[in-house]
Amino acid sequence: MRRSSAGSWSFAGLCGLALGALLTMFNPPTVHAKTKTSIHRVGYAVNAGAIGCFAVGEVIRRRNRIRALVELRSATSPATPSSVEMLREDESAGEVWIVSERPCVGEVLVEAAHRGVRCFIEGPDGFEEVAAPHENGARRRMDA
């Protein structure tokens, strides 16, 4: 997910809800009834604004999502070049990843590099990205 202001909008909504709740519960005995009514109405308006902040935050969060298709492969069902080709046929998938318990063979890595599919294998410290053999077999740690 990309960086966005969705969290700030949601936090503003949370603060607004807290303030609105305090204002709607405001009821000291020495305050005039018209003043109490006005303060309660302001509390309702603040709550409505807070709900609006939550809505804006949700819209921003949804627009910043990155579509991805992740295929999980067990040790008994390794990836094949044809399975990589089938994965990439769906154009609406966005990013395509293969996550495998067992290292992928060279042909799979070459096909994945050709089609823009990222391959990850299980390592001792988590999952590591595996590059195609023509890239010197380099491995990178997955930053996710």
Side-chain angles (χ1 to χ4, degrees):
M1 189 177 269
R2 295 171 282 212
R3 295 184 76 99
S4 72
S5 62
S8 298
W9 281 101
S10 296
F11 184 71
L14 180 66
C15 292
L17 279 179
L19 178 62
L22 288 174
L23 290 173
T24 56
M25 292 186 297
F26 183 76
N27 193 22
T30 59
V31 176
H32 193 272
K34 287 185 179 182
T35 305
K36 287 180 189 178
T37 303
S38 298
I39 291 173
H40 290 171
R41 287 182 181 165
V42 169
Y44 295 134
V46 170
N47 280 338
I51 291 170
C53 287
F54 281 126
V56 168
E58 181 65 14
V59 168
I60 291 172
R61 185 189 69 81
R62 286 180 180 240
R63 286 189 177 177
N64 281 328
R65 286 189 296 192
I66 297 173
R67 293 185 52 86
L69 174 65
V70 178
E71 181 174 274
L72 304 174
R73 288 290 183 155
S74 67
T76 59
S77 175
T80 63
S82 61
S83 67
V84 172
E85 184 179 343
M86 288 174 45
L87 274 175
R88 203 54 192 150
E89 286 179 359
D90 185 12
E91 294 297 324
S92 66
E95 288 189 20
V96 179
W97 292 9
I98 294 177
V99 180
S100 178
E101 289 181 329
R102 191 165 89 183
C104 298
V105 294
E107 301 88 41
V108 172
L109 294 174
V110 170
E111 184 69 25
H114 175 68
R115 303 229 180 239
V117 176
R118 297 174 68 184
C119 295
F120 296 91
I121 62 165
E122 185 177 15
D125 296 327
F127 289 95
E128 297 175 350
E129 184 171 2
V130 181
H134 66 277
E135 296 178 12
N136 298 327
R139 291 185 179 190
R140 293 184 294 185
R141 179 116 168 94
M142 180 173 76
D143 297 326

